[in-house]
Amino acid sequence: MVPPTPAPDSFAELDLLRALLEVGRPYFEAEVVCETECRGNRFPVHLVSLGSQDPAAPAIGLFAGIHGLERIGTQLLLDYMRSLLKRLEWDALLHLQLQSVRLLFMPIVNPAGMWAGRRANANGVDLMRNAPQDADGPVPFLAGGQRVGSWLPWYRGPAGGPMERESLALLQVVQERLQTRKLSFAVDCHSGYGWRDSIWFPYARTCTAMANLPEMYVIKTLFEQAHPHHGYAFEPQSHQYLAHGDLWDYAYDRTPAGHVFLPMTLELGSWLWIKKNPRQLFSRHGIFNPIKAHRTARVLRRHVSLFDFLARAAYAPQGWLPAGPAREAILREASEHWQAPTRRQWRQWR
Ligand SMILES: [Zn+2]
């Protein structure tokens, strides 16, 4: 029998997302927030929401697939969505939690890039370098974002031009669905950088500390107390390198006064996967994704506790959000912990 011809816009992750939306119809609210095109094919950018309808309820946005090559982040979110659906069949505590918390999923921000097997979107723009702001210090050559042309990686798009559709769609979701609330989190899943898994937070454009350093520090501390063996390096992105045009910097700087919005980038360290399986280096896909099945399973398993933890933190903000003199003390501790690296340290690391 001849297998049915897949739809022209079909790829494994998008097909899985569509299947999840079908099965999850009783729980998921699904919408298409923008469409992109590549070589005559159209691709939807899906937003999936569930949980509290209260516009003031704390919310968590989970994002992935901004870089089309980094499929493991998308698979991680699809896997989490699938596990939530199964738990919703029986888990009364999860139902209770979702009465007070909203979850948003944007698991394939750059579907055209994923379909084409490239980091950039269909216009050759690296969406994570696409916001207009410049870094206030030296950035790594090319990788910090460049405007030479889309034929080189890390292209920011033309100077003064509008941001790409996918970037605008993501920022609109953040602005209208997350930052309108007193408390919200974002986790954006990437892969390909570093020996270990990292959680980065703003800024990428400067070594100056973000205004919510105390809140970020409390989240880090609580998470480490709850999961002492998680092994994330938790730090401002600027401790690794500076970059132009980071969408999370841009979004964070537009948080309304008095609201707490904590964006995090989950960077899955793939260099270890390559060390364990050097043949991966010969495949572009392999640099960004664990190839052996058991390694993929381990990655998918490892990060569920972070998502569950954030949902609990969102459920009980009165239990941990710092205020008054206590916040001042935490700020001092956090500033000491995350001292900006000296120029010499920074050069050594790179
Ligand atoms: Zn990435």
Side-chain angles (χ1 to χ4, degrees):
M1 206 172 82
V2 181
T5 318
D9 67 347
S10 169
F11 56 90
E13 289 79 3
L14 187 56
D15 294 347
L16 182 54
L17 174 56
R18 285 174 167 144
L20 279 171
L21 295 182
E22 190 62 36
V23 180
R25 217 180 273 182
Y27 299 108
F28 289 157
E29 298 158 46
E31 57 201 290
V32 172
V33 288
C34 85
E35 277 195 323
T36 61
E37 265 179 55
C38 188
R39 291 179 227 151
N41 296 311
R42 295 175 76 82
F43 298 92
V45 177
H46 287 282
L47 173 69
V48 185
S49 321
L50 74 159
S52 172
Q53 299 287 346
D54 178 356
I60 302 165
L62 299 173
F63 301 81
I66 285 184
H67 292 136
L69 274 172
E70 300 168 8
R71 315 185 94 98
I72 186 72
T74 294
Q75 291 163 10
L76 184 63
L77 290 197
L78 296 176
D79 210 53
Y80 189 56
M81 289 167 72
R82 182 167 49 188
S83 89
L84 285 178
L85 273 186
K86 293 313 282 180
R87 279 170 59 194
L88 282 165
E89 290 172 8
W90 61 269
D91 187 342
L93 265 181
L94 178 60
H95 279 275
L96 189 66
Q97 188 177 44
L98 288 174
Q99 283 171 20
S100 317
V101 173
R102 185 119 177 115
L103 295 182
L104 305 174
F105 290 88
M106 217 166 150
I108 313 177
V109 177
N110 174 15
M114 197 167 283
W115 175 78
R118 57 191 290 191
R119 176 183 171 95
N121 76 350
N123 297 330
V125 174
D126 185 329
L127 299 175
M128 211 21 91
R129 303 287 183 274
N130 188 219
Q133 80 279 354
D134 290 337
D136 69 2
V139 303
F141 177 63
L142 297 182
Q146 53 83 14
R147 293 205 198 272
V148 181
S150 61
W151 47 279
L152 285 168
W154 300 289
Y155 178 54
R156 302 177 62 186
M163 277 191 258
E164 297 296 301
R165 264 187 248 178
E166 302 91 325
S167 308
L168 291 170
L170 178 145
L171 291 170
Q172 196 177 0
V173 166
V174 171
Q175 193 189 357
E176 294 175 2
R177 320 284 183 101
L178 295 176
Q179 291 175 322
T180 47
R181 302 154 191 274
K182 280 234 177 296
L183 174 65
S184 60
F185 299 93
V187 180
D188 177 22
C189 306
H190 289 254
S191 59
Y193 183 93
W195 289 107
R196 57 192 288 202
D197 298 333
S198 303
I199 294 175
W200 290 341
F201 55 85
Y203 286 106
R205 64 174 174 79
T206 178
C207 288
T208 305
M210 74 187 313
N212 288 112
L213 207 66
E215 286 75 17
M216 204 53 104
Y217 189 70
V218 173
I219 282 294
K220 165 192 150 59
T221 308
L222 295 184
F223 181 67
E224 286 173 352
Q225 287 166 351
H227 302 278
H229 311 294
H230 71 84
Y232 294 119
F234 203 124
E235 62 188 2
Q237 178 168 347
S238 58
H239 281 201
Q240 292 298 323
Y241 59 89
L242 294 185
H244 303 306
D246 186 281
L247 291 180
W248 297 110
D249 279 8
Y250 185 87
Y252 178 73
D253 281 341
R254 278 147 191 82
T255 309
H259 288 196
V260 175
F261 168 60
L262 301 177
M264 290 165 240
T265 297
L266 175 59
E267 185 73 39
L268 305 172
S270 64
W271 299 350
L272 201 63
W273 310 332
I274 293 166
K275 194 174 161 192
K276 287 183 177 166
N277 184 13
R279 273 176 306 168
Q280 280 191 207
L281 259 185
F282 297 106
S283 124
R284 245 152 66 83
H285 170 80
I287 298 174
F288 299 98
N289 301 281
I291 281 181
K292 292 199 168 156
H294 69 268
R295 213 158 280 149
T296 303
R298 199 178 306 145
V299 171
L300 297 182
R301 214 163 47 223
R302 277 199 60 162
H303 306 284
V304 170
S305 48
L306 173 68
F307 302 151
D308 281 344
F309 167 81
L310 289 177
R312 282 166 178 257
Y315 184 82
Q318 64 288 353
W320 62 269
L321 263 180
R327 188 177 187 274
E328 289 302 309
I330 293 167
L331 173 60
R332 281 192 296 276
E333 207 178 312
S335 307
E336 201 163 301
H337 179 78
W338 281 314
Q339 270 177 26
T342 62
R343 274 182 189 281
R344 200 167 63 85
Q345 277 174 327
W346 214 37
R347 269 200 300 271
Q348 277 171 356
W349 294 343
R350 289 194 296 143

